Amino acid sequence: MGNNNLNYEEYPAIGDALIASFNRDQSELAEHYKMMNADFVIEFQNAIDAVRKTASVLAKTEELKSVTRQLYGLADEANQKLLFLIDYVKDAGLESASISSIRSKLTTRNIEGAVYDLREVLPYLESHQAELDAGNMPKDFLKYFPPILPQLEAWNAEQIAIVSNRKSLVEGNKILFENAYSYISKVSNNGKKVFKDTVKKDDYTISKLLTKVRVEGKGEEGPKS
């Protein structure tokens, strides 16, 4: 649907920016496209407002970002622990291929598979606790893993549920998004032609607007705990 580089949650911001430029430049645009008049901008505004009102889609997007950040943060932390565990296991003369496989799954974000395999390998490692303790492995190192497995599972399940729900919500609002994008696309394309070789062209170029919107969005994010 629409521009593959334009995310659903960015439609309102891009639409607002184009509407502001449209209102500023309406007389010049109308010289070349007579249908781009006051009625057109009202219709454009209504289309953007209709997308804006799909707050549930946007809320789910932000929720997904939060869950994904937590899930992948913990997965990366566990992956780093496993990197050291491979050395401890090798030094003890134990099999390490399964741990390397778990690291690969965490890296490719196959969380479910990694958790399953880690549950399978932990009893083996615990049965060789003495050999591991005799080497470089810090005391209680293996105790790190059991408590994080349920958390990884919970966040992974939540992420899957949010993605599924978001897809349903987006599909339910597909016509609204397509209508909004038709206005975005038309104003962008026409504006770039009218203001070709001028500084105003950037105000109608979606890639330029996206860069600005995304930079501003990052600036609005508070410090991460």
Side-chain angles (χ1 to χ4, degrees), residues 82-97:
L82 290 171
L83 180 63
F84 291 107
L85 182 57
I86 288 174
D87 286 342
Y88 306 149
V89 167
K90 285 181 177 179
D91 288 347
L94 304 175
E95 184 273 325
S96 64

Side-chain angles (χ1 to χ4, degrees), residues 33-190:
Y33 300 97
K34 67 179 183 179
M35 297 299 289
M36 296 185 76
N37 52 26
D39 289 337
F40 179 89
V41 76
I42 290 173
E43 293 170 1
F44 186 8
Q45 185 69 66
N46 288 340
I48 294 301
D49 286 342
V51 173
R52 199 190 318 278
K53 290 172 183 175
T54 58
S56 56
V57 175
L58 306 185
K60 287 298 178 185
T61 299
E62 293 306 313
E63 189 180 348
L64 176 60
K65 289 179 183 177
S66 175
V67 172
T68 299
R69 185 165 54 244
Q70 294 177 95
L71 173 63
Y72 291 170
L74 184 55
D76 290 341
E77 179 183 286
N79 212 344
Q80 186 65 21
K81 292 278 189 180
L82 290 171
L83 180 63
F84 291 107
L85 182 57
I86 288 174
D87 286 342
Y88 306 149
V89 167
K90 285 181 177 179
D91 288 347
L94 304 175
E95 184 273 325
S96 64
S98 58
I99 301 172
S100 296
S101 175
I102 293 169
R103 290 196 73 239
S104 296
K105 288 180 179 178
L106 287 173
T107 300
T108 58
R109 304 314 190 192
N110 178 4
I111 305 298
E112 184 177 355
V115 169
Y116 179 86
D117 289 350
L118 193 49
R119 275 208 174 94
E120 291 291 304
V121 79
L122 278 175
Y124 166 76
L125 297 174
E126 289 166 353
S127 70
H128 293 278
Q129 184 82 47
E131 295 99 303
L132 291 167
D133 286 341
N136 279 317
M137 191 177 78
K139 183 181 178 182
D140 296 331
F141 184 84
L142 292 180
K143 291 183 179 180
Y144 164 83
F145 296 100
I148 71 166
L149 299 183
Q151 185 62 77
L152 285 170
E153 285 180 319
W155 279 336
N156 190 53
E158 188 175 355
Q159 183 191 52
I160 291 171
I162 292 171
V163 169
S164 177
N165 192 35
R166 183 177 185 271
K167 286 180 180 178
S168 297
L169 290 168
V170 168
E171 187 64 27
N173 292 285
K174 184 177 181 180
I175 293 175
L176 294 179
F177 282 115
E178 289 180 342
N179 186 48
Y181 187 77
S182 70
Y183 282 96
I184 289 172
S185 179
K186 182 177 290 186
V187 173
S188 172
N189 291 334
N190 292 355

